[in-house]
Amino acid sequence: MSLAELFLELGGVILALAFVGRAAGRLGITPIPLYLLAGIGLGAFLHLGDAPEEFIHIGAEIGAVLLLFTLGLEYTSEELRGNLAANRRVGLLDLALNFTPGLLAGLWLGFSPLAAALLGGVTYLSSSGIVSKVLSDLGRLGNRETPVVLAVCVLEDVAMAVYLPVMAALLIGGTLAAVGVNLLVALAAFALAFFLALRY
């Protein structure tokens, strides 16, 4: 698949989702289920050929970048620092209650420890974009519990910013020294970016 074809298809997907979102707004419902149905329907029209993995991989990367970028626009460094300080206990409870079942299920199914840790990440992470969209669509942004819900989502995104580079370094594998260097680079890059974001 050429880069031009890829971006044309991504543009088509975004245009279709815009129409779906507008229709959902007219109907007064959240567009999230309609987005899923649109994805199923568009699968029949997109000419992915033998490269659906490439389309999904690049689309997911673009989506993750845009999600984190949008999240960064919504929070100042002071708000993020205050969020981390005020809600760290809730964040740890969320981690324990959601990561642990995935990890244990992976081990019970006979996965390797690394694969089980990946499954734990899947069960741990909530989509802050979907959560905030649903809260907005349902008119619950003014509710008293909403700030805590959104704070937990932000903490999950911050945790993922550490988790994903670490897991990527472990998945690359190699010798013990190579894995150690990869982990060190991943954690140092995150620490530097996080420090600069909070400080400056």
Side-chain angles (χ1 to χ4, degrees):
M1 177 185 293
S2 70
L3 194 60
E5 288 176 323
L6 178 68
F7 279 112
L8 281 172
E9 289 176 350
L10 282 173
V13 168
I14 292 170
L15 182 64
L17 293 180
F19 284 122
V20 168
R22 188 164 181 82
R26 290 284 179 89
L27 295 172
I29 62 173
T30 180
I32 302 301
L34 298 183
Y35 287 159
L36 294 172
L37 293 174
I40 294 170
L42 284 172
F45 297 102
L46 292 177
H47 303 293
L48 299 179
D50 296 326
E53 294 88 358
E54 181 185 359
F55 177 83
I56 292 169
H57 177 73
I58 296 176
E61 285 188 344
I62 292 172
V65 169
L66 290 177
L67 172 63
L68 293 173
F69 180 71
T70 304
L71 189 68
L73 291 177
E74 292 177 356
Y75 284 87
T76 64
S77 58
E78 290 79 13
E79 288 173 331
L80 183 57
R81 193 182 297 114
N83 237 336
L84 293 173
N87 297 290
R88 61 181 180 273
R89 290 182 181 175
V90 177
L92 289 172
L93 181 62
D94 173 51
L95 176 65
L97 292 177
N98 290 309
F99 184 85
T100 306
L103 178 67
L104 294 177
L107 295 173
W108 181 71
L109 290 169
F111 292 177
S112 68
L114 183 56
L118 286 169
L119 185 59
V122 170
T123 59
Y124 166 62
L125 184 64
S126 306
S127 171
S128 54
I130 291 177
V131 170
S132 59
K133 179 66 176 167
V134 170
L135 287 172
S136 175
D137 291 341
L138 296 178
R140 300 180 67 90
L141 289 177
N143 288 24
R144 280 186 285 181
E145 72 276 6
T146 298
V148 177
V149 172
L150 293 176
V152 167
C153 288
V154 172
L155 288 170
E156 287 181 356
D157 288 334
V158 171
M160 281 294 116
V162 179
Y163 172 84
L164 291 176
V166 168
M167 295 307 292
L170 292 173
L171 285 169
I172 290 170
T175 65
L176 189 60
V179 171
V181 169
N182 288 336
L183 281 173
L184 187 62
V185 170
L187 291 174
F190 167 77
L192 178 62
F194 204 61
F195 171 76
L196 292 174
L198 291 179
R199 180 77 175 175
Y200 301 107

